[in-house]
Amino acid sequence: QRWFVDNPHRVTVVGHSDGEYNAKLDEKEKERLQQMRQQLKEEDISTVVREAQDLVAQQDHKEDVSVLPTLVVSEAVPRVAKTYDSVITEVAGVELQVDEQPTNGITYVTVMLDMSGLPARLIPYLPLFSSFLTEMGTRQLEYKDLAEAIKASTGGINGGLDMNPGVADPRQTEVSLSLSSH
């Protein structure tokens, strides 16, 4: 309340587009090309023109697509897709749902942390916390070292906030903090 809502400090940023921006950009490009052309010898200009003509001819040339390998959908996609059942297990006294997927050996993880025990006064700060979660260090690693460790072994980690209707009472909202690898 004190730092965000009642804070009297404000910054107003107003942007105005330049209606002549593209024309100015084109004019700068023409000037730059004119300067470059003045520095070229006649022989260099002939080379540029010839290479441009060769490029256009090559781009307009019809390729022989009959030499390319072809793939028929029925050969590539099985008639019946392989399905994977969820497995519910327990790790360190915590229920864990494992869903095997065909990811070529790459492991993706989504961890949902139940926030129902969090005092109601702190719930409004969860979006801010989840956005900063992957931007901070830990007791053992400074931010830079943690970022490098994450980068070395994953495609990245995201923090987020999930709000879903309660299972027992849909009028109640269940709040979860999620951590996902990608």
Side-chain angles (χ1 to χ4, degrees):
Q1 179 77 26
R2 175 178 165 210
W3 297 108
F4 294 104
V5 177
D6 296 334
N7 188 338
H9 298 87
R10 300 286 181 263
V11 173
T12 302
V13 178
V14 179
H16 297 282
S17 63
D18 182 353
E20 298 176 16
Y21 176 78
N22 286 335
K24 291 176 184 176
L25 196 60
D26 289 344
E27 186 60 33
K28 282 182 183 178
E29 180 74 8
K30 285 178 187 175
E31 289 173 11
R32 191 173 67 83
L33 288 173
Q34 187 62 32
Q35 288 175 354
M36 289 174 67
R37 184 179 177 114
Q38 289 173 356
Q39 294 176 359
L40 293 175
K41 299 175 189 164
E42 201 57 43
E43 174 184 314
D44 296 331
I45 294 171
S46 298
T47 302
V48 170
V49 169
R50 184 176 28 79
E51 288 177 356
Q53 290 170 341
D54 290 347
L55 177 62
V56 168
Q58 189 178 19
Q59 289 174 335
D60 290 344
H61 176 72
K62 264 247 198 262
E63 296 284 335
D64 180 12
V65 294
S66 67
V67 299
L68 297 175
T70 58
L71 184 63
V72 178
V73 173
S74 62
E75 296 171 356
V77 181
R79 282 198 171 282
V80 179
K82 184 175 180 182
T83 59
Y84 302 89
D85 294 328
S86 292
V87 176
I88 305 297
T89 185
E90 194 172 295
V91 174
V94 177
E95 187 177 276
L96 177 68
Q97 176 182 333
V98 178
D99 296 296
E100 182 182 340
Q101 297 294 318
T103 59
N104 293 327
I106 300 171
T107 302
Y108 297 94
V109 175
T110 300
V111 177
M112 304 294 288
L113 303 169
D114 181 12
M115 294 287 110
S116 62
L118 191 67
R121 66 183 173 76
L122 297 178
I123 297 289
Y125 300 106
L126 275 175
L128 186 62
F129 176 73
S130 69
S131 67
F132 288 147
L133 192 59
T134 58
E135 304 294 324
M136 300 184 294
T138 66
R139 285 184 194 161
Q140 297 166 345
L141 295 173
E142 292 183 15
Y143 167 70
K144 183 180 175 189
D145 299 326
L146 179 61
E148 287 176 7
I150 289 171
K151 196 174 189 179
S153 58
T154 72
I157 295 178
N158 285 342
L161 193 60
D162 290 337
M163 295 186 179
N164 298 301
V167 175
D169 183 0
R171 294 172 296 183
Q172 295 289 338
T173 302
E174 292 179 356
V175 179
S176 300
L177 181 65
S178 67
L179 297 172
S180 301
S181 68
H182 52 85

